[in-house]
Amino acid sequence: MVEHEAAGMHGDQNAVYAELKMRLAKLLAQADPQERLAATALLAELVEIETLDDSQMVRMATQIKSLMQTPDMTVCAEAMAVYRQLILKRWPNVLSSVEADVSRRLEMLEGERSEVQRLATLRLIEMLCGEALVPLYTYVPKIFKALSQPLRDQRVEIRAAAGRALGACLGVLPLTERNPRNAWLNFLFEELQRNQQAGGVESLHGSQLICQELLQSGGMYMQPHFAQACETAMKLKDHRDAHVRRAAIEQLPMLARYSPHEFARPGLGAGGGGGG
């Protein structure tokens, strides 16, 4: 409806756009989450107008990003969905700023106190990498390093989001560039080992999340480490912590699919005994 009313009219001279712009400014000035949700809904409609000029596109991108900085997770998630709409439009002025936005959020991730914003950053990485919305290959090393702390965060929601972001990021690594790819898979495996050696619940859970993603997205990288991965999963499936235990149990069918014959060997996987 908004797009139909605005068709054929350009810039701020568009009466419909001018009215909606004024209403949007009022909504954005409010701190109430419901008002901000209304703003995201309005922006979702405005983004679909095909006659927007460059200044309008940039203004809306700025407004959407401001909503993504809010402390309310519902508002933040809705704003992120509109941000995705915006990126899919492939507007050059918007795309040119995405990498800078990701870089800035990664730099803030370790010191960010807001759980909502940490989750938002991790979900943003998952979305951008998982859907290949923008070329972020050059940022993969920075993303992997930035995920180290969230993967052992005290909050299980943060650890789980970091694991999903890691999996999406692994999908960005090109299979053809073997040496750089293996270097970063080595980095992740070393991180896995450090977390296992640390031994705390958070670190153990983080190590299992890394192992799961390496099994699912690392190609044959885990083959030399398969026996160790089986041994660890069999040991941790009886861990006292529910999240560590669940991650280990979830990993067992992944291991069985990865190498069925080896998984069935005595002493490994299905052929192994329980552990405490």
Side-chain angles (χ1 to χ4, degrees), residues 213-226:
E213 299 305 334
L214 285 173
L215 286 168
Q216 295 183 107
S217 305
M220 296 307 293
Y221 177 82
M222 285 296 289
Q223 192 64 48
H225 312 294
F226 186 82

Side-chain angles (χ1 to χ4, degrees), residues 152 191-207 235-236 239-241 244:
R152 55 176 183 272
E191 191 71 17
L192 179 157
Q193 291 180 310
R194 279 191 291 270
N195 283 346
Q196 285 181 345
Q197 291 166 5
V201 166
E202 294 85 0
S203 295
L204 284 175
H205 186 221
S207 72
K235 178 180 178 181
L236 294 181
H239 196 274
R240 58 183 172 78
D241 180 81
V244 173

Side-chain angles (χ1 to χ4, degrees), residues 175-209:
L175 295 171
T176 52
E177 298 184 24
R178 187 167 182 176
N179 289 338
R181 178 182 172 86
N182 282 345
W184 287 107
L185 293 176
N186 285 337
F187 171 84
L188 292 175
F189 187 73
E190 289 167 6
E191 191 71 17
L192 179 157
Q193 291 180 310
R194 279 191 291 270
N195 283 346
Q196 285 181 345
Q197 291 166 5
V201 166
E202 294 85 0
S203 295
L204 284 175
H205 186 221
S207 72
Q208 292 300 98
L209 293 174

